[in-house]
Amino acid sequence: MAKRIDVGGLNAYYGGHKAIEDISMTVEPRSVTAFIGPSGCGKSTFLRTLNRMHEVTPGGRVEGKVLLDDEDLYGHGVDPVSVRRTIGMVFQRPNPFPTMSIYDNVAAGLRLNGRVRKSELDTIVEKSLKGANLWKEVKDRLNKPGAGLSGGQQQRLCIARAIAVEPQVLLMDEPCSALDPISTLAIEDLMGDLKERFTIVIVTHNMQQAARVSDRTAFFNLAGVGQPGKLVEIDETARIFSNPSVQATEDYISGRFG
Amino acid sequence: MSDVIVDRPTVSDSAPLPPAGLHRPRLPRWAPAVVAALAVAAGVGIGLGAGLSSRAQWGLIAAILFVAVMYAAAARVEGLRQAKDRLATSLVWVCFLLAVVPLVSLLWETIARGIKVLDGAFLSHSMAGVLTIQPGGGVYHAIIGTLEQVGIATAIAAPIGLLTAIYLVEYGRGRLAKVVTFFVDVMTGIPSIVAGLFILSLWIIMLDFSYSGFAGSMALAILMMPVVVRSTEEMLKLVPNELREASLALGVPKWRTILKVVLPTAIGGITTGLMLAIARIAGESAPIVLLVFGSQVINNDPFEGAQSSLPYYIYEQWANGNDASYDRAWAAALVLIAFVMILNLVARAIARWKAPKTGR
């Protein structure tokens, strides 16, 4: 199920602008890796390079290697569509499909990929919604529109949608930044469960959250406005938050940044 | 009106602004209605007194009086800032009426004059064997012609227009997209008579086909295509990028994302745009005059021989210049308006039925 990601010498561009420079790191399987850093330092961009979503942006371009268990995602002949099937993503703002019911939203990934058998689908939808801690709340109204749920429920619906296609890795781009503390707690608990089965990478601005949920933490920084973002260090979360090896990390975490 | 606050909170006595509380004197709620009524009365009075024959002048006087009196009253009672607000509100109302009056009067005129001869026989008979000065006859052949020509034009223009818009929004990058956009813009401005002349020279003169409903359909399709492209493009741009990304991130190929996520989200707006485009070409008469030739009898075959159409029929009847023909022209105009209106209602219904749902 879960796979390891090895990144080597990765640069990403928006047109002529270099957004991130020379990033190398390893994301361990069956663990939560958190990305922290100031706004504009390229955390989200880097996250999007991990499942080839970066190139969806007009002008988006990537150099370097991303190995998923020794298979280069940017290698010749790799289909971005199958990469994204293997590496799922949850976005900052909940984005359920507005034309679809709750059930259809969860089933969307499978259905749109053309693998459908009704009975099998029922099982998967139930399993995914249970996996996203949403089943109890919505089991009586699966045919109601997904956009009618609350923000936190919508975000868990999006997580259910992402795990329904059984990815190996789950990327989460600030999944709680639009949510209240209770929904945030629900999703953090969920991450703890999900890391048994998936490799999870999460971008967050909330350092307590990084400290709570992640096993390893990567700190990103940028030298100045218009400069590309860089990876400063990556280490065990406990170490990053108690005794980081780089001064900039300590400054950022303790709020003495900038 | 407002009640004066007697014991206001202690504010320094030197404060120059008169009322210190949150209450300000307000005009009563019924003031605009009363001023409007008075303005209309005054407009009519002045119009009659000064012997102005045109009702438009009466209305203009009433409108100016209404705006001016509202502004003056508000400035006196409520202060200058509120007066400006009232001024803007009054102007908006006046403009609204200016826009509605012609519309209502047009509908009223058409219904009042058209209803006279509009009955089952009118809808189910052609003009075959009816002399222009005789009453009777009907519009059936023109309805058939319009339905067929507009139907074929839609069948040609809608798919091309839709696919062009999808290309421009979802795939188009660089030069080709710019060129396509430019030509769509140019096409939007083509006068209908020019589209007719183009098909005339290509289809009838060069390729030597004869007059037919289909020739007219092609000219209508040329007129319809840019409208469809434009409206569909706008609707597709309204679909949030996040939905596309959500679908792509699930490992759904791009074409399926467009087909299953983007189009269903925008389908309501796309349908409305399509219906408006159909309504626009349903009223075209110039290409029909050139290419379909016009006919007094029923011709069910759009690919062979002359046909009629509703706008052409109206033009033709009006040109006859006698009372029986005038009646028929108005009745046909009413049929055409009803046709367009039904199309619009259908579009609304589809848009509502297909619109993204938010209910719980």
Side-chain angles (χ1 to χ4, degrees):
Chain A
M1 279 297 295
K3 289 194 175 182
R4 167 203 306 273
I5 302 176
D6 282 297
V7 183
L10 191 100
N11 300 324
Y13 302 83
Y14 289 102
H17 173 69
K18 196 184 220 177
I20 50 177
E21 186 174 63
D22 195 23
I23 290 183
S24 303
M25 69 159 70
T26 300
V27 175
E28 298 294 342
R30 287 191 191 77
S31 68
V32 178
T33 304
F35 293 174
I36 60 171
S39 291
C41 70
K43 308 178 295 288
S44 295
T45 306
F46 178 57
L47 193 76
R48 291 166 64 95
T49 62
L50 297 183
N51 70 341
R52 296 196 62 168
M53 284 297 286
H54 178 64
E55 65 205 50
V56 171
T57 327
R61 194 158 54 82
V62 178
E63 290 167 357
K65 278 192 167 158
V66 179
L67 302 179
L68 184 72
D69 276 3
D70 303 325
E71 201 179 351
D72 188 2
L73 300 185
Y74 287 92
H76 185 70
V78 172
D79 182 4
V81 169
S82 38
V83 170
R84 292 178 201 134
R85 259 175 228 178
T86 318
I87 307 181
M89 189 159 190
V90 176
F91 295 84
Q92 184 171 0
R93 289 235 314 265
N95 52 2
F97 299 127
T99 49
M100 299 184 192
S101 67
I102 294 171
Y103 182 97
D104 291 339
N105 259 290
V106 181
L110 295 168
R111 243 187 215 158
L112 298 183
N113 285 329
R115 295 180 268 145
V116 222
R117 202 184 300 142
K118 177 70 180 144
S119 56
E120 205 177 316
L121 210 54
D122 285 344
T123 326
I124 294 173
V125 167
E126 182 176 342
K127 197 174 123 206
S128 307
L129 282 170
K130 277 181 177 156
N133 252 332
L134 192 63
W135 175 250
K136 273 183 221 145
E137 290 156 70
V138 301
K139 65 171 187 273
D140 300 323
R141 45 174 173 154
L142 289 175
N143 292 318
K144 295 280 159 57
L149 297 173
S150 76
Q153 290 172 327
Q154 285 189 21
Q155 191 63 300
R156 277 179 282 150
L157 178 64
C158 293
I159 294 176
R161 183 175 67 185
I163 59 180
V165 291
E166 291 285 322
Q168 322 268 338
V169 181
L170 197 57
L171 307 177
M172 301 175 122
D173 189 357
E174 296 181 46
C176 302
S177 65
L179 305 182
D180 69 295
I182 294 170
S183 310
T184 303
L185 187 69
I187 287 176
E188 286 181 6
D189 287 346
L190 182 58
M191 275 186 252
D193 299 340
L194 291 177
K195 77 172 179 182
E196 315 272 308
R197 295 155 57 206
F198 304 102
T199 304
I200 296 181
V201 183
I202 173 176
V203 169
T204 179
H205 272 293
N206 182 333
M207 267 168 300
Q208 287 82 357
Q209 181 172 56
R212 280 194 302 263
V213 301
S214 71
D215 302 301
R216 283 159 63 81
T217 299
F219 174 60
F220 290 76
N221 204 350
L222 74 174
V225 179
Q227 304 279 339
K230 288 182 180 174
L231 174 68
V232 177
E233 64 173 318
I234 176 166
D235 211 330
E236 299 294 322
T237 299
R239 246 182 89 82
I240 288 275
F241 280 92
S242 59
N243 185 21
S245 47
V246 182
Q247 183 62 35
T249 313
E250 195 176 337
D251 289 350
Y252 182 75
I253 285 166
S254 55
R256 268 178 279 138
F257 182 74
Chain B
M1 311 273 283
S2 88
D3 36 357
V4 179
I5 294 171
V6 183
D7 57 349
R8 47 167 112 145
T10 45
V11 180
S12 79
D13 288 328
S14 60
L17 297 170
L22 295 173
H23 285 266
R24 294 281 183 280
R26 295 279 289 166
L27 285 174
R29 295 179 76 94
W30 41 261
V34 170
V35 173
L38 289 177
V40 169
V44 173
I46 294 172
L48 286 175
L52 299 173
S53 55
S54 161
R55 305 270 160 84
Q57 287 169 319
W58 300 9
L60 204 61
I61 293 171
I64 292 170
L65 277 176
F66 172 68
V67 173
V69 171
M70 274 314 290
Y71 181 74
R76 186 157 178 78
V77 179
E78 301 181 325
L80 214 55
R81 188 179 60 79
Q82 286 293 341
K84 283 178 196 157
D85 180 44
R86 294 271 187 196
L87 180 68
T89 313
S90 327
L91 282 177
V92 168
W93 273 102
V94 168
C95 290
F96 165 70
L97 286 178
L98 274 181
V100 161
V101 164
L103 193 70
V104 171
S105 95
L106 178 116
L107 264 183
W108 175 254
E109 195 82 6
T110 315
I111 292 173
R113 296 199 189 204
I115 208 79
K116 259 190 285 180
V117 292
L118 184 64
D119 53 22
F122 183 75
L123 290 175
S124 58
H125 286 76
S126 75
M127 288 299 289
V130 182
L131 292 177
T132 55
I133 50 168
Q134 284 178 329
V139 77
Y140 180 72
H141 61 305
I143 293 178
I144 289 293
T146 287
L147 285 180
E148 285 180 352
Q149 289 151 25
V150 169
I152 295 173
T154 309
I156 300 172
I160 299 179
L162 272 174
L163 292 174
T164 308
I166 290 174
Y167 168 76
L168 286 177
V169 176
E170 305 289 340
Y171 293 96
R173 303 264 180 276
R175 270 182 91 87
L176 183 59
K178 281 208 183 96
V179 170
V180 172
T181 310
F182 176 73
F183 279 110
V184 168
D185 283 345
V186 171
M187 274 177 83
T188 316
I190 291 181
S192 56
I193 189 85
V194 175
L197 282 171
F198 168 68
I199 297 295
L200 182 74
S201 62
L202 182 81
W203 186 252
I204 294 181
I205 297 177
M206 270 173 65
L207 297 175
D208 208 25
F209 288 92
S210 66
Y211 297 103
S212 69
F214 180 65
S217 300
M218 286 192 290
L220 294 181
I222 292 178
L223 294 171
M224 187 176 173
M225 222 178 312
V227 185
V228 176
V229 174
R230 274 285 123 158
S231 61
T232 308
E233 215 185 329
E234 293 310 315
M235 287 305 135
L236 291 179
K237 279 184 190 161
L238 283 182
V239 175
N241 237 339
E242 292 149 19
L243 293 181
R244 295 189 181 90
E245 294 197 335
S247 177
L248 290 175
L250 286 173
V252 180
K254 187 163 180 174
W255 65 273
R256 256 193 121 87
T257 299
I258 294 168
L259 206 62
K260 297 285 182 176
V261 174
V262 178
L263 285 181
T265 309
I267 194 72
I270 293 175
T271 323
T272 311
L274 197 61
M275 292 295 173
L276 289 177
I278 294 175
R280 177 183 175 323
I281 61 160
E284 285 295 346
S285 54
I288 308 299
V289 176
L290 287 174
L291 300 166
V292 190
F293 205 72
S295 161
Q296 305 298 322
V297 297
I298 297 165
N299 174 9
N300 283 324
D301 184 358
F303 297 100
E304 191 66 58
Q307 278 188 315
S308 188
S309 87
L310 282 170
Y312 178 80
Y313 179 91
I314 297 166
Y315 161 77
E316 175 194 66
Q317 294 301 323
W318 192 261
N320 284 337
N322 59 64
D323 284 339
S325 297
Y326 286 157
D327 285 345
R328 282 193 289 263
W330 280 107
L334 185 56
V335 171
L336 184 56
I337 290 181
F339 173 69
V340 169
M341 200 126 126
I342 290 169
L343 270 185
N344 268 311
L345 288 178
V346 170
R348 297 259 158 148
I350 293 177
R352 178 166 299 184
W353 172 47
K354 285 287 186 184
K357 295 159 189 74
T358 48
R360 301 207 161 195

